[in-house]
Amino acid sequence: MTDPRARFLPLGALTAAVLLTAACGGTTIEDAQDEGAGGPTGTAEPDAEIPEGLAVDFLPKQLNNPFFDLVNAGGTEAVEELGGEATERGATEATADSQVEYINAAGQAGSDVVVIAANDPDAVCPALNEAREGGAVIVGYDSDANCTDVFVNQSSNELIGQALVDMVDGQLDGEGEFAILSATPNATNQNAWIEEMEQILDDGEYSGLELADTVYGNDDDLESFQEMQGLVQSHPDLDAVVSPTTVGLAAASRYVSDSEYQGELVVTGLGEPSQMQEFVEDGTVDEFALWDPHQLGYLAGYTGAALQAGQITGAEGETFTAGDLGEYTFETDGELVLGPPLVFDAGNIDDHDF
């Protein structure tokens, strides 16, 4: 079978990759105030100046999550390059209720741009719509809500789903039973990737793979560790576990590395090189994948500023420059994609420090 790494661009090419998927809708600030969140309307002014002093609020799914720390650092860099002020808001638990509180705080503080990784696609929308009525534009990233103006996707759902299936398929030589350890049950990105995996598995090419179970660790280290333990106890014939979340993958790897299953049970998914290096070095994990979270935040920051300035509305065909990342084009209404994921293994993990 084809080496799955051949399907993905090297990390340096991410800056130019613009692969786009289904739209979530985008709009200028004036249109949003008149119509609510909808499809892109109005006319973009590509030469419009981005005003200095923009207040940009970043709301991750939760604070103290290494992945979102890196995203927010990238977003802050972009905002500072533009002469704006970045603020990180959020709670330590990944819940929609906690996010609503901080969305309201951003709106009350007069935020110009709210950049959010939603914990629920619908529950956060009343608060986001209220922030929009107050003058903010809403940019989703990582996990979208059904009311954002533009969504900055780290990769296409199809590419991520294919990467995850290919890594399992390659390491099991096309045959075996595996389970999925996901984040929260309502996370739009996790669910979309799992759906893509299920569709890919229906293809005859992967008839030897069987998805035995899907469980949720709520992006909490301890819960994810316990769910991993439960999986191996509930499925004695389990051959692999896929975790499409950085917290879950690290927790699953830690469990396997200290157990009788090391070297016997395949663990793969989406993770950060800095978190996964020890598990690659000790033989627990052969390969995993991810995009550059710093670049994801950086692109989201520039997108929000361009949207607030009126350079873009999010309509198909619009183009803007995202700082050091270069030019991006909306090939589908309302959504940008950073690029395809990169597969990490013992041969390249030392080359990446995020």
Side-chain angles (χ1 to χ4, degrees):
M1 135 164 227
T2 302
D3 184 345
R5 285 166 291 185
R7 298 177 181 267
F8 309 113
L9 297 178
L11 190 60
L14 289 178
T15 59
V18 187
L19 302 175
L20 301 161
T21 56
C24 61
T27 177
T28 62
I29 182 172
E30 293 84 0
D31 298 321
Q33 291 170 339
D34 292 339
E35 304 174 15
T41 57
T43 302
E45 299 181 12
D47 296 326
E49 292 289 332
I50 293 177
E52 290 192 6
L54 286 179
V56 183
D57 287 82
F58 290 87
L59 282 77
K61 288 180 180 177
Q62 62 187 147
L63 297 182
N64 301 325
N65 179 309
F67 174 81
F68 291 111
D69 288 346
L70 290 167
V71 173
N72 291 338
T76 297
E77 180 180 327
V79 173
E80 290 178 348
E81 286 180 3
L82 294 167
E85 181 177 350
T87 302
E88 183 182 69
R89 301 181 190 272
T92 56
E93 68 274 10
T95 67
D97 287 344
S98 67
Q99 279 192 316
V100 167
E101 175 184 350
Y102 290 99
I103 296 167
N104 290 336
Q108 292 165 4
S111 178
D112 297 304
V113 182
V114 174
V115 181
I116 184 170
N119 281 320
D120 185 282
D122 298 309
V124 297
C125 281
L128 288 175
N129 289 334
E130 187 172 342
R132 180 186 288 109
E133 290 172 2
V137 294
I138 313 299
V139 176
Y141 75 96
D142 183 72
S143 184
D144 201 15
N146 292 326
C147 53
T148 57
D149 298 319
V150 171
F151 179 52
V152 178
N153 203 344
Q154 54 265 43
S155 188
S156 71
N157 294 331
E158 295 85 354
L159 285 172
I160 295 171
Q162 188 69 60
L164 294 170
V165 170
D166 280 345
M167 286 189 296
V168 175
D169 184 67
Q171 293 180 75
L172 295 183
D173 293 327
E175 186 172 350
E177 178 181 301
F178 76 99
I180 295 173
L181 170 58
S182 190
T184 62
N186 293 325
T188 52
N189 57 345
Q190 305 283 319
N191 292 338
W193 301 337
I194 293 169
E195 182 178 351
E196 287 294 336
M197 292 178 69
E198 292 172 342
Q199 292 178 3
I200 292 167
L201 290 172
D202 287 338
D203 191 316
E205 181 180 353
Y206 303 97
S207 59
L209 297 180
E210 178 187 353
L211 176 56
D213 202 354
T214 299
V215 298
Y216 303 91
N218 291 311
D219 255 358
D220 178 85
D221 179 75
L222 179 58
E223 285 188 53
S224 298
F225 186 91
Q226 292 170 338
E227 289 293 342
M228 181 66 196
Q229 184 178 37
L231 278 174
V232 297
Q233 292 174 347
S234 301
H235 302 279
D237 296 327
L238 199 64
D239 298 300
V241 171
V242 179
S243 187
T245 163
T246 58
V247 174
L249 180 58
S253 300
R254 191 173 75 256
Y255 174 81
V256 172
S257 70
D258 292 329
S259 75
E260 62 187 286
Y261 303 104
Q262 187 187 37
E264 301 294 329
L265 182 65
V266 169
V267 182
T268 191
L270 302 177
E272 297 165 15
S274 60
Q275 284 188 297
M276 297 304 299
Q277 185 160 8
E278 65 178 290
F279 303 117
V280 171
E281 291 176 350
D282 72 10
T284 300
V285 174
D286 284 343
E287 61 181 12
F288 63 98
L290 196 66
W291 40 89
D292 188 329
H294 187 277
Q295 290 185 354
L296 176 62
Y298 187 91
L299 178 58
Y302 262 93
T303 301
L307 185 65
Q308 179 61 263
Q311 289 182 358
I312 56 173
T313 68
E316 180 180 347
E318 291 178 351
T319 298
F320 75 106
T321 300
D324 292 339
L325 292 182
E327 188 174 272
Y328 278 82
T329 300
F330 285 86
E331 294 183 7
T332 293
D333 279 352
E335 184 170 336
L336 289 175
V337 173
L338 177 64
L342 170 72
V343 174
F344 300 94
D345 57 23
N348 67 359
I349 194 169
D350 288 337
D351 299 331
H352 305 281
D353 59 1
F354 61 89

